[in-house]
Amino acid sequence: MRPSLMRSTSQLLRRRSYSSASGQPERKVAILGAAGGIGQPLSLLMKLNPLVSSLSLYDIAGTPGVAADVSHINSPALVKGFMGDEQLGEALEGSDVVIIPAGVPRKPGMTRDDLFNINAGIVKNLSTAIAKYCPNALVNMISNPVNSTVPIAAEVFKKAGTYDEKKLFGVTTLDVVRAKTFYAGKANLPVTDVNVPVVGGHAGITILPLFSQATPATNALSDEDIKALTKRTQDGGTEVVEAKAGKGSATLSMAYAGAVFADACLKGLNGVPDIVECSFVQSTVTELPFFASKAWEEWS
Ligand code: NAD
Ligand code: LMR
């Protein structure tokens, strides 16, 4: 046997035994907007996730390079890059989880609603393709304004006859990540032990961190401290937008938060019990049709 063939055969064998050794089902994750500020670090983090067997990186430009780069990392997920409308179907086909960070970010002085005109159209087109090519996938919506892009996706899926409210999530994990960090810092608690539910929506005062339900509880914080922590969590996105001074919004912390949420989705799909994450979903908790709250689901 020629050396190159020997190498490819042994790689194949290693891959097969690796997959059966892990005992996990094969899972395909697609990232739409994978060449962007969030998309690139999120692609890296999903490539490192052992629950991912196939990673599909889609964007309107730049994905061949991102995919080539990420694909050299020696973790099990097989990476493929897709670019442009004509490759969107192939990128999505067979996906278990689709993560959407496609769209424009804020600049200083803008609200998330100012992104609506551009991002609504992007999300509508991508959701139409999801309904066609992977109607059963769990959809993790990152594109802003989340309070509007999630209902847009829901309407597209309803029109296509594929809507399942248990499979559409607005990703609000960054609000939780920020609330945990700020609470732990102020209360002088080990940040990895801290949990803080955040409910409501993902814009300004609709972001409602429930510090009264934070764990571990503390009596080190005054009412004024809680007020300040609440405001900082609500303004966390703006804090980053202003610090980046025109060069976009949160990307690295968002990629981390997106990876945490996608991992929870994969675990849920794989039947891991008691997976709980806050996210913006169709809801009966209030009179609002969509509301972020603690969601406990087993998707399998
Ligand atoms: P970015 O401009 O760096 O990247 C966006 C990417 O989307 C680009 O690569 C662009 O080519 C791609 N894109 C545009 N149209 C597309 C389409 N039709 N199909 C596929 N890809 C397309 O922006 P970013 O910093 O990565 O932010 C992306 C979005 O995420 C923004 O709307 C931002 O407001 C939002 N965001 C949400 C949260 C959250 O907590 N949910 C946090 C941070 C940012
Ligand atoms: C965030 O919370 O960081 C994102 O929604 C991006 C933004 O525009 O603030």
Side-chain angles (χ1 to χ4, degrees):
M1 201 181 274
R2 282 179 292 143
S4 62
L5 277 181
M6 279 170 65
R7 196 165 55 242
S8 62
T9 309
S10 71
Q11 274 171 345
L12 195 63
L13 288 174
R14 212 167 34 240
R15 207 153 53 224
R16 278 201 186 135
S17 62
Y18 198 85
S19 153
S20 72
S22 77
Q24 300 290 347
E26 305 272 301
R27 294 291 177 201
K28 175 172 171 178
V29 173
I31 301 179
L32 311 183
I38 297 166
Q40 291 200 37
L42 181 58
S43 300
L44 166 65
L45 293 171
M46 295 317 293
K47 170 70 171 133
L48 300 180
N49 188 316
L51 302 180
V52 180
S53 42
S54 168
L55 184 60
S56 181
L57 305 182
Y58 174 82
D59 204 301
I60 51 173
T63 19
V66 177
D69 190 355
V70 169
S71 73
H72 289 187
I73 295 168
N74 60 325
S75 66
L78 290 177
V79 180
K80 278 194 190 157
F82 299 92
M83 193 170 75
D85 271 353
E86 60 290 352
Q87 295 188 355
L88 179 55
E90 202 189 333
L92 288 171
E93 223 143 36
S95 294
D96 297 291
V97 176
V98 179
I99 316 174
I100 312 184
V104 290
R106 281 201 284 166
K107 288 191 187 323
M110 292 170 83
T111 70
R112 293 177 182 85
D113 282 346
D114 295 329
L115 306 173
F116 181 88
N117 285 345
I118 297 180
N119 289 354
I122 293 173
V123 163
K124 179 175 175 246
N125 290 341
L126 295 174
S127 301
T128 303
I130 290 168
K132 183 167 177 196
Y133 293 104
C134 54
N136 295 319
L138 303 187
V139 176
N140 296 183
M141 184 69 70
I142 292 175
S143 311
N144 269 318
V146 167
N147 291 0
S148 305
T149 52
V150 171
I152 288 170
E155 289 308 312
V156 171
F157 296 154
K158 278 181 203 164
K159 198 170 159 207
T162 64
Y163 184 53
D164 178 347
E165 74 272 14
K166 289 208 170 88
K167 294 188 171 177
L168 175 60
F169 306 91
V171 181
T172 55
T173 318
L174 182 53
D175 301 318
V176 176
V177 164
R178 286 175 177 145
K180 286 179 182 180
T181 304
F182 303 156
Y183 176 80
K186 192 74 190 169
N188 203 17
L189 291 164
V191 71
T192 48
D193 294 351
V194 159
N195 206 355
V196 184
V198 182
V199 303
H202 180 67
I205 56 167
T206 71
I207 301 169
L208 299 169
L210 303 181
F211 291 111
S212 58
Q213 292 183 25
T215 53
T218 178
N219 50 20
L221 301 179
S222 65
D223 286 353
E224 283 311 304
D225 290 332
I226 298 292
K227 255 193 200 162
L229 285 176
T230 302
K231 181 153 173 40
R232 188 166 179 212
T233 306
Q234 291 175 332
D235 294 346
T238 306
E239 184 179 320
V240 178
V241 168
E242 282 171 2
K244 289 199 174 179
K247 295 219 161 101
S249 56
T251 53
L252 303 173
S253 51
M254 182 58 238
Y256 168 74
V260 166
F261 191 75
D263 181 66
C265 288
L266 289 164
K267 286 185 173 137
L269 281 174
N270 289 355
V272 177
D274 301 333
I275 301 297
V276 180
E277 288 292 338
C278 290
S279 75
F280 187 70
V281 291
Q282 184 174 312
S283 170
T284 51
V285 170
T286 67
E287 73 278 10
L288 298 166
F290 291 88
F291 193 80
S293 60
K294 275 194 207 176
W296 179 89
E297 295 289 352
E298 273 188 85
W299 291 281
S300 52

